[in-house]
Amino acid sequence: SGPDGYHHDDHYTTAYDMMLISLYAASFEEITDACSTYTYYCKTLEGEAMGWLNTNPLLAKNGEYYCPLVNGLKTGSTDIAGKCLCTTAEKDGKKLFIVILGAPNVDMRNRDMLRIIHTFFGNCK
């Protein structure tokens, strides 16, 4: 897909590309703060309430896939690319970056991501 998220036959990204992008993005505090926040609420200048929900289920404290070690980073999907997730997780000062591309559904993507985190860090506690 292109920068707009829509598929384009001449635009493609590898897992390595996404890892480089993730490493660079994680060097900015503003990005890591935003990507580690599951819900965000504010009011417009006109006083209208607005809210955003992060699409990364590993950040949802009451969710099936919650892992407190996860602190970001970015979900994405298109019909052709499948379900994708770049994740950052941290424990005892060690930071892990994981990229999963092309999963057939979000459940498989999330379970695979948790298996990788558990393999590296042990349980998500």
Side-chain angles (χ1 to χ4, degrees):
S1 72
D4 57 11
Y6 293 103
H7 175 75
H8 188 287
D9 285 339
D10 294 332
H11 296 176
Y12 55 89
T13 304
T14 67
Y16 181 75
D17 294 333
M18 291 308 301
M19 180 61 66
L20 293 177
I21 292 167
S22 296
L23 289 167
Y24 184 70
S27 71
F28 294 94
E29 185 177 344
E30 298 85 358
I31 293 174
T32 58
D33 286 350
C35 292
S36 65
T37 302
Y38 188 66
T39 55
Y40 181 78
Y41 299 97
C42 70
K43 287 189 177 185
T44 66
L45 293 175
E46 294 79 25
E48 180 183 345
M50 297 184 72
W52 290 267
L53 183 64
N54 191 314
T55 57
N56 185 347
L58 283 73
L59 295 170
K61 289 186 180 176
N62 295 319
E64 175 182 359
Y65 299 108
Y66 176 65
C67 177
L69 306 178
V70 171
N71 52 16
L73 192 63
K74 179 72 177 92
T75 62
S77 66
T78 66
D79 290 342
I80 294 171
K83 306 304 179 190
C84 306
L85 180 58
C86 297
T87 296
T88 55
E90 193 167 355
K91 183 177 181 182
D92 299 330
K94 294 180 183 175
K95 192 159 198 169
L96 181 64
F97 287 77
I98 308 162
V99 175
I100 291 180
L101 303 178
N105 59 62
V106 292
D107 290 323
M108 186 174 288
R109 179 200 69 192
N110 298 336
R111 286 193 303 269
D112 286 350
M113 187 63 73
L114 287 176
R115 280 188 200 106
I116 294 167
I117 293 168
H118 291 166
T119 298
F120 191 79
F121 285 135
N123 199 350
C124 269
K125 302 288 183 227

